[in-house]
Amino acid sequence: MPEDPGSFKQFCQLVGQMNITEFKYRFNSNEKAVVLYSVGVHTVSELKAMKERMESCQLKTYNVIETDLMKDHLHYLMGGRSNVQNEVLCRFIFPERPGALMKFLDSLGPRWNISLFHYRGQGETGANVLVGIQVPRVEMDEFHDRANRLGYEYTLVNNDDFYHLLMRSWLGFL
């Protein structure tokens, strides 16, 4: 998908009513993003229709379900290190209910670009979601206002040592 603000929301709209069970994305460049996602069990015709919707908007889609290397290893390595300007890293607790993701996207976007998104549905009452958002320092008060009005519990984690070790370029660890 394009590395443009609002692309994530467009992607979710194209998925439609299907339940997204996993979503991994990391900002990589100013061109195209690679996204790993899974949807809940649906019929072959529903999956085909979703793929056609994606491709009609120039979002190339691959089915990697039968690839053991991807299932066992590669999807855990999705993204890697990056130095994204003005990135604020947050852990949100999303309610496990339809519309929770779109409510989040409507509350915060397209004001700020989402630079990282890691969600995996676990069937509980709340999903722990790691989100990177590009928010200039002078807009942090507005960000906090919008995040608080959203009503989802959240914590800023930019100062976590392991975040710096695994997700950012070496900045002097521990």
Side-chain angles (χ1 to χ4, degrees), residues 51-100:
K51 183 177 180 181
E52 289 171 357
R53 286 192 304 273
M54 296 286 184
E55 291 183 353
S56 74
C57 292
Q58 286 71 50
L59 299 176
K60 185 67 179 157
T61 301
Y62 301 94
N63 183 349
V64 296
I65 193 77
E66 296 174 6
T67 307
D68 287 338
L69 180 63
M70 181 61 130
K71 286 191 302 189
D72 294 341
H73 301 286
L74 295 181
H75 80 278
Y76 293 108
L77 303 174
M78 183 75 181
R81 294 181 182 208
S82 183
N83 278 318
V84 178
Q85 185 178 13
N86 297 317
E87 184 175 59
V88 175
L89 195 69
C90 304
R91 288 176 54 198
F92 280 87
I93 305 298
F94 275 43
E96 288 282 2
R97 65 174 175 258

Side-chain angles (χ1 to χ4, degrees), residues 29 32 47 53 98 125 127 144 160:
S29 70
K32 298 283 183 186
L47 290 172
R53 286 192 304 273
T125 57
H144 285 295
D160 185 271

Side-chain angles (χ1 to χ4, degrees), residues 98-114:
L101 175 58
M102 291 304 286
K103 180 180 177 184
F104 172 82
L105 294 172
D106 287 339
S107 296
L108 299 179
R111 175 81 170 119
W112 301 292
N113 187 48
I114 295 174

Side-chain angles (χ1 to χ4, degrees), residues 87-90 156-161 163-164 168:
E87 184 175 59
V88 175
L89 195 69
C90 304
L156 297 179
V157 295
N158 279 63
N159 294 325
D160 185 271
D161 289 330
Y163 159 68
H164 286 283
R168 301 284 291 196

